[in-house]
């Protein structure tokens, strides 16, 4: 089954073709993908402007689809089904991809399905020939969400813990801004941290011993104060690298400790990490080391499939379509959508 995936929930226009007949040891079933980032468009305003995002998705969808079909060397008529992001996200941005996908499917007389963006992230590490088996604990760390989930199957998600304030990615973005680094902050903070000493400054690990919920707002304030009180934090490359490394270590250490706790609490031995922050190398390495100590394993997607993309939507769509699910002709997007409300497969 060839599924076209469309991702337009925020500031990336992502399209991809997933083909279930092309999964083998060298190929994840991903036939091709195109991604257009609106970062430059929003840079002037210091954050995503929803109306500009919607308008730009509209401008890019048709040319990107044509580029994708050419890249995959297929025609529109070879597509068997279309999956689009139905929520959560910016309502105008979601509507562009949903209307485009639903209408194209209608025109081609093929099924269409609306996908939960975070389920797309959660399932992305399962693309390929040797996916980790259910059940597993999933750490979803993106710009808008920090969630620990016990995943019993596709659509069977039990929330174990979540952030009560800022998401982990959001915290990376805000600290990047404080350090004068451009958006998206995560990769830039990680790069600066490479040359720094993670033990240079002691930063708090909020809520470490309280259940499985997270809080990153206090950590953000602590970094703000550290930058304000440290001479050279705006100019000395060594001091800046030390601040970035200490901050990154504080976030990663918190995430890792909560993951270990969640695995023990759920009685599971597999951890799957997904979402933009799961691209972080320090997080991956520390999880590998700490999980080995408790005989657990960590699984993640290649970096390009961690941040927003159309492939994860195509793959989540395939999982649901092959189980006989699809949406009717009505297009309804859901900007706020708890994952626990998804139907099981
Ligand atoms: O999943 P994603 O692409 O978009 C949302 O659904 O939010 O996640 C984007 C977030 C941003 O906050 C970005 O700074 C963060 O993921 N991110 C990283 C890294 N790459 C992206 N954070 C830390 N380290 C990275 N290497
Ligand atoms: Zn995302």
């Amino acid at each position: 089954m060839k599924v076209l995936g469309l991702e337009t929930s925020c500031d990336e226009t992502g399209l991809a073709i997933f083909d279930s007949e092309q999964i083998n040891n060298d190929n994840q079933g991903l036939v091709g993908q195109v991604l257009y980032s609106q970062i430059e468009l929003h840079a002037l305003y210091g954050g995503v402007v929803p109306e500009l995002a919607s308008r730009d998705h509209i401008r890019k969808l048709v040319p990107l689809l044509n580029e994708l079909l050419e890249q995959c060397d297929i025609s529109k008529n070879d597509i068997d089904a279309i999956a689009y992001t139905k929520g959560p996200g910016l309502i105008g941005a979601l509507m562009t991809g949903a209307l485009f996908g639903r209408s194209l499917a209608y025109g081609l007389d093929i099924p269409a399905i609306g996908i939960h963006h975070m389920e797309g992230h959660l399932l992305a590490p399962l693309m390929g020939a040797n996916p980790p088996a259910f059940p597993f604990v999933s750490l979803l760390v993106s710009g808008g969400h920090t969630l620990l989930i016990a995943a019993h199957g596709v659509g069977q998600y039990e929330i174990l813990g979540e952030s009560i304030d800022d998401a982990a990615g959001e915290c990376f973005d805000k600290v990047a801004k404080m350090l004068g680094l451009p958006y998206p902050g995560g990769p830039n903070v990680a790069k600066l941290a490479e040359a720094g000493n993670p033990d240079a400054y002691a930063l708090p690990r909020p809520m470490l011993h309280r259940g499985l919920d997270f809080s990153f707002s206090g950590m953000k304030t602590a970094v703000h104060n550290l930058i304000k009180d440290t001479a050279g934090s705006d100019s000395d490359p060594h001091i800046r690298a030390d601040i970035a490394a200490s901050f990154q270590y504080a976030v990663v250490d918190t995430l890792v400790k909560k993951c270990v706790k969640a695995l023990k609490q759920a009685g599971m031995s597999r951890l799957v990490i997904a979402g933009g922050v799961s691209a972080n190398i320090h997080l991956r390495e520390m999880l590998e080391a700490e999980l080995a100590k408790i005989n657990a394993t960590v699984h993640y997607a290649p970096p390009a499939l961690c941040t927003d993309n159309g492939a994860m939507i195509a793959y989540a769509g395939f999982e649901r379509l092959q189980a006989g699910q699809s949406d009717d002709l009505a297009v309804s997007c859901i900007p706020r959508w708890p994952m626990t409300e998804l139907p099981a497969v």
Side-chain angles (χ1 to χ4, degrees), residues 110-282:
I110 56 175
I113 188 159
I115 292 298
H116 191 293
H117 179 84
M118 296 311 292
E119 177 172 73
H121 278 303
L122 190 152
L123 297 177
L126 274 59
M127 286 175 77
N130 301 301
F134 287 104
F136 52 76
V137 170
S138 172
L139 171 72
L140 290 180
V141 270
S142 70
H145 296 81
T146 307
L147 288 164
L148 267 169
I149 287 174
H152 301 283
V154 176
Q156 297 173 53
Y157 309 129
E158 184 193 337
I159 311 275
L160 301 174
E162 60 193 314
S163 176
I164 59 164
D165 41 56
D166 293 359
E170 188 181 354
C171 193
F172 265 96
D173 295 335
K174 287 180 177 165
V175 165
K177 214 171 186 177
M178 293 176 205
L179 287 165
L181 300 168
Y183 181 88
N188 290 314
V189 170
K191 196 154 186 276
L192 181 60
E194 274 171 24
N197 171 10
D199 294 313
Y201 302 103
L203 288 166
R205 272 82 165 139
M207 294 182 64
L208 203 54
H209 302 292
R210 271 198 276 151
L212 292 173
D213 284 338
F214 302 88
S215 166
F216 289 107
S217 132
M219 201 182 287
K220 188 185 65 189
T221 309
V223 179
H224 174 82
N225 292 337
L226 176 66
I227 292 174
K228 195 164 55 94
D229 298 341
T230 309
S233 64
D234 57 343
S235 52
D236 186 321
H238 298 293
I239 289 174
R240 290 168 57 73
D242 282 351
I243 292 174
S246 302
F247 159 71
Q248 176 174 254
Y249 181 38
V251 176
V252 166
D253 187 36
T254 306
L255 292 174
V256 170
K257 290 204 163 86
K258 295 269 178 178
C259 285
V260 169
K261 207 178 204 176
L263 285 165
K264 286 183 179 161
Q265 184 178 310
M268 294 180 187
S269 59
R270 284 178 293 276
L271 176 77
V272 174
I273 59 170
V277 183
S278 72
N280 188 278
I281 303 294
H282 187 50

